[in-house]
Amino acid sequence: MEPIKKRRERFEATKKIYESGILEFEGVNGRDVYNCSVPFDYEGQRYIFGRVEKRAEWANSVTYLFCFDRDDRKWKRVENFDALPIEDPFVTFIGGELIVGGTHVIFVSGKIADYSTYFYKGKSPFSLRLFSTGPSDMKDIRLFEISDGRIGVFSRPRNEEIRKKYGSGSIVGVTVIDKIEDLTPERIENAEYIHGMFGTDEWGGMNQAFYLKDNLVGALGHQCYNDYRNDVEYPVYINMMYIVDFLKHEVLEKQVVGTTSCYPETPSKLPTLCDCAFTSGMVAMNGGKVRLYSGLRDCGEGYIVIDDPFREAR
């Protein structure tokens, strides 16, 4: 399996970026907004969920709802929306309902004791209710609706046992449930491992997924490795695309679609996070292009316009 670092080098030599920018958020009192959901529409208005956090704090986030203001980059906080107690929010639509999820962190005596994914659903962003959670100590769970109404679920276990067994820092699994009420920690925990996702000492997870055709699902995610500069460890996060056969549990295609060098410069929460692009997802545009959104350096949210990486698979 070709290391992701090599894939990145090849991408950097041939990348084609048509446009890039940084999102601006109003109403957050100077706090950072990053690792957002993709934008989505409701009753003629465009919205986005964003993780909001002080620069000097860590895993002490809430998620706000923002509405589109102007010129593709400016977003304004929705004042009548109660903040969700999650970080790294994501959205999808299942059975006509909006599904919103994110990581809920539990602190005990000032230290992280546990975290899990919270799932909310509602007919609108203003009628969300918590309906399920993921397994303890698991982030990056994502859902996609299949053409027959069933629901695909990506999991992402990460622990020392996984590392010893597979050689990678995390793995991704996939399972299929009949209805949203079947989304339970047990079903997610038992999702079957997908082969060929990460190499030795790599890790990552899914961020957005959508059914393509037959048994294929397209996904945008992040794939990561540690770089070492002057004996200092720098985690590198890369925007990735995957095409997965969710019945055979195999990756049929994967490629780098974005790196931090594709986006404008932003501050970094820590100096060692300068090379982190945490994928949010993409929105289709005209002319076979997409706008790919990504959290940047745990401080901001950016976008790039690229060719649709799934155009030949649709």
Side-chain angles (χ1 to χ4, degrees):
M1 182 186 303
E2 184 180 30
I4 187 61
K5 188 174 183 177
K6 292 293 184 182
R7 289 176 179 268
R8 176 189 183 163
E9 292 172 358
R10 190 166 62 252
F11 167 81
E12 296 284 9
T14 59
K15 65 187 178 185
K16 184 180 291 186
I17 309 299
Y18 298 99
E19 181 186 341
S20 65
I22 301 297
L23 305 192
E24 299 176 25
F25 296 91
E26 299 178 5
V28 295
N29 297 321
R31 288 173 289 180
D32 294 322
V33 182
Y34 66 103
N35 292 9
C36 299
S37 74
V38 291
F40 64 97
D41 295 326
Y42 173 71
E43 292 190 343
Q45 177 66 59
R46 176 151 287 198
Y47 294 96
I48 193 171
F49 287 99
R51 174 178 177 173
V52 181
E53 189 173 61
K54 292 181 179 179
R55 181 74 55 86
E57 295 182 349
W58 193 266
N60 190 23
S61 311
V62 293
T63 286
Y64 286 168
L65 179 66
F66 299 88
C67 63
F68 177 74
D69 191 9
R70 58 193 182 278
D71 73 16
D72 292 334
R73 302 187 187 186
K74 298 184 183 295
W75 299 81
K76 186 175 182 180
R77 180 185 174 186
V78 177
E79 297 292 345
N80 62 336
F81 179 85
D82 292 332
L84 299 175
I86 57 174
E87 59 186 44
D88 303 345
F90 58 88
V91 300
T92 190
F93 287 87
I94 303 290
E97 283 194 301
L98 174 66
I99 308 294
V100 180
T103 304
H104 176 73
V105 181
I106 298 174
F107 284 87
V108 175
S109 300
K111 297 182 179 180
I112 296 177
D114 194 14
Y115 57 82
S116 62
T117 301
Y118 275 17
F119 294 96
Y120 301 82
K121 67 176 180 177
K123 293 296 184 181
S124 84
F126 305 100
S127 62
L128 297 173
R129 61 179 181 83
L130 182 68
F131 76 94
S132 188
T133 66
S136 173
D137 201 30
M138 186 184 294
K139 301 180 179 182
D140 303 331
I141 303 166
R142 295 297 187 267
L143 313 178
F144 58 94
E145 188 170 39
I146 304 170
S147 59
D148 60 10
R150 294 180 301 157
I151 302 163
V153 183
F154 282 116
S155 68
R156 198 224 63 174
R158 182 182 185 184
N159 52 47
E160 189 57 31
E161 182 179 341
I162 293 294
R163 181 182 296 278
K164 290 179 180 179
K165 184 174 182 179
Y166 297 101
S168 56
S170 67
I171 60 172
V172 170
V174 66
T175 189
V176 175
I177 57 177
D178 291 328
K179 55 188 184 301
I180 198 66
E181 289 78 15
D182 295 335
L183 184 67
T184 64
E186 293 75 22
R187 292 296 297 270
I188 299 168
E189 190 82 62
N190 292 318
E192 187 171 340
Y193 167 57
I194 298 172
H195 303 280
M197 186 71 69
F198 306 131
T200 302
D201 294 328
E202 298 174 359
W203 74 95
M206 301 304 198
N207 297 92
Q208 183 190 31
F210 39 87
Y211 177 77
L212 292 172
K213 59 185 178 181
D214 302 325
N215 301 320
L216 303 183
V217 56
L220 290 160
H222 56 284
Q223 193 158 334
C224 318
Y225 64 94
N226 284 320
D227 196 13
Y228 293 89
R229 307 167 192 177
N230 297 321
D231 296 324
V232 177
E233 185 177 273
Y234 287 75
V236 178
Y237 280 62
I238 293 174
N239 304 142
M240 296 290 295
M241 69 81 76
Y242 306 93
I243 296 176
V244 175
D245 186 318
F246 59 84
L247 292 187
K248 294 182 179 179
H249 307 93
E250 294 179 353
V251 177
L252 303 184
E253 182 179 349
K254 64 179 177 180
Q255 60 178 279
V256 177
V257 292
T259 63
T260 51
S261 69
C262 302
Y263 300 87
E265 284 295 323
T266 65
S268 182
K269 196 175 188 76
L270 294 173
T272 53
L273 297 177
C274 62
D275 209 357
C276 290
F278 184 79
T279 312
S280 293
M282 73 180 198
V283 174
M285 302 175 66
N286 294 327
K289 294 180 176 59
V290 299
R291 190 182 299 270
L292 175 67
Y293 292 86
S294 180
L296 297 171
R297 307 174 184 93
D298 281 10
C299 275
E301 183 78 13
Y303 74 85
I304 53 177
V305 176
I306 61 175
D307 291 317
D308 182 357
F310 301 99
R311 61 189 180 278
E312 295 181 3
R314 296 184 186 277

